[in-house]
Amino acid sequence: MSRRRRDPPAREPGQDAARGASPAPRRALALGAAGLALGAAGCAEPPALDLMLVPDPNVNTTEQLLAHVQQAVLVVDAEEGLYAPGEERSQGGVQVKNADVDAALELVFTLSIERERLPIIRIEQGGLPDVSLTIRVLGLQASPAPGSFVARGELMGARLAAPPPRMTVPFNLRPEVRPPRVERVLPDDGGVALRCAVPSLVISFSRPIDEASLRAPGAVAITPDPGPISVAMDPSGLVANVATPRLVGVGGLAYRVAIASAVRDLAGQPLDQVAAEAGAQGYLGDFSLSCEPPPTDPTEPPCAPDYACPLGAACVSGVCLPRDCPAPCPGGRVCDRLRALCVDDCRADALFSPCAPEHRCDATSGLCR
């Protein structure tokens, strides 16, 4: 089974926030028939929903989020939309406006984030219809570029009720803001080694990696001895093909992949696989594969034809690259086939683009190019 070095044991998202010494501040948001209102809930609780923003401790800590995020923009939507075009209005920090790619309007609310804790946000029914809601939370940073989109969370299938249920919204810094980490290694743990050999590994990263740092002695270590390894980086810097000409087994194949924290992205940030721990943590993964068919001598790289690539990868211009994402991507995310990972759909939010300044949002794929 693959694992990441020193992952925090038995720590689930929300565990730290739930056991805080003092409750997080609650903000109430309601849409009345006559307009918008923001204020404290009344004595008799109407149908509502309490949202708790929860970071994944294996990705980032609450402290790291609070260091980056000064404001949150809450977008409340429904499958058929909440309001028709022409019903735009605004009061204070609450607006009815178009916040995505369809013509229908959404409820948009902007609130400040205190430096001590993440808030609990209450959505009251007011004039909202009794339908299943999709809620997006976009985190904006204060500096060095005020208003930059740095964190995101999403909750689907939420409903208002009395008494108000409390639901968690996974809320994390975007990969572009966090230090680089290994996102996936092919072949996947539990997969099949064709001819009981893995002649190459495909490693996907969250950020473009400096190729020289990945080629440095000791940067990539594989046991048992895979023979003389070589590294070929895709031009994007997001995918590395590591040739392992003698990584073979009999009846099954087990191996360990270690990538040192000395590996750096193009900005010089070290690989950090476990954000909840101090310092930069390298990647460590254990893999166990079954064999099919019986073992023979592996084909040497380069990877033409495709059977020299690990299962789930294809030979593209002499480099093994992922074929597809391991599972359908959820709403608001699309498959980046280069890395075989689900990423934010850049078309999903009309308010803020997830694309870096040097990239644009491709209207067909939803990917930043």
Side-chain angles (χ1 to χ4, degrees), residues 36-361:
L36 298 168
L38 176 64
C43 295
E45 289 189 318
L49 173 67
D50 286 339
L51 302 175
M52 186 167 64
L53 306 182
V54 178
D56 181 345
N58 293 313
V59 174
N60 43 211
T61 64
T62 300
E63 290 75 16
Q64 289 168 335
L65 267 170
L66 292 173
H68 283 84
V69 179
Q70 185 190 41
Q71 284 187 320
V73 177
L74 194 77
V75 180
V76 183
D77 197 2
E79 185 175 357
E80 302 298 328
L82 290 178
Y83 307 97
E87 294 185 321
E88 294 87 348
R89 53 193 187 273
S90 174
Q91 179 177 321
V94 187
Q95 299 172 290
V96 172
K97 61 189 293 187
N98 191 5
D100 56 20
V101 293
D102 60 37
L105 308 181
E106 292 75 41
L107 180 63
V108 181
F109 171 49
T110 302
L111 70 155
S112 298
I113 300 293
E114 296 184 3
R115 288 301 180 189
E116 291 79 17
R117 59 183 70 86
L118 293 169
I120 296 173
I121 305 167
R122 170 162 292 186
I123 301 177
E124 296 178 351
Q125 183 148 34
L128 286 173
D130 183 17
V131 296
S132 177
L133 301 174
T134 296
I135 299 164
R136 300 194 302 275
V137 183
L138 312 177
L140 309 183
Q141 80 175 9
S143 63
S148 295
F149 172 30
V150 294
R152 191 180 192 278
E154 185 166 13
L155 175 66
M156 304 181 71
R159 276 190 176 272
L160 308 176
R166 176 170 292 189
M167 303 187 72
T168 59
V169 181
F171 187 61
N172 297 293
L173 293 171
R174 297 175 57 238
E176 293 78 6
V177 181
R178 305 191 303 261
R181 69 194 310 265
V182 173
E183 297 282 12
R184 192 179 180 194
V185 177
L186 286 176
D188 291 310
D189 179 48
V192 176
L194 301 179
R195 296 169 175 81
C196 217
V198 177
S200 64
L201 303 176
V202 178
I203 304 172
S204 297
F205 295 93
S206 63
R207 292 174 57 87
I209 294 297
D210 175 63
E211 186 170 359
S213 72
L214 193 62
R215 290 176 177 267
V220 180
I222 302 168
T223 53
D225 179 18
I229 66 173
S230 60
V231 176
M233 184 72 75
D234 179 80
S236 70
L238 294 168
V239 181
N241 186 199
V242 180
T244 53
R246 291 202 292 268
L247 192 56
V248 297
V250 178
L253 181 57
Y255 54 92
R256 172 171 289 186
V257 179
I259 303 176
S261 60
V263 172
R264 280 167 160 66
D265 65 11
L266 297 180
Q269 295 186 98
L271 190 78
D272 189 4
Q273 201 69 19
V274 186
E277 293 190 8
Q281 313 297 325
Y283 170 89
L284 186 66
D286 289 333
F287 297 82
S288 179
L289 281 67
S290 58
C291 292
E292 188 178 291
T296 62
D297 291 335
T299 302
E300 295 287 337
C303 62
D306 277 356
Y307 60 72
C309 291
L311 192 69
C315 188
V316 180
S317 302
V319 176
C320 293
L321 295 177
R323 290 182 187 273
D324 209 344
C325 292
C329 297
R333 294 173 71 78
V334 293
C335 182
D336 181 352
R337 287 180 171 81
L338 173 65
R339 293 182 287 166
L341 299 171
C342 294
V343 299
D344 288 341
D345 185 342
C346 61
R347 303 164 299 184
D349 291 304
L351 301 177
F352 305 97
S353 171
C355 299
E358 65 272 18
H359 294 153
R360 63 175 181 83
C361 181

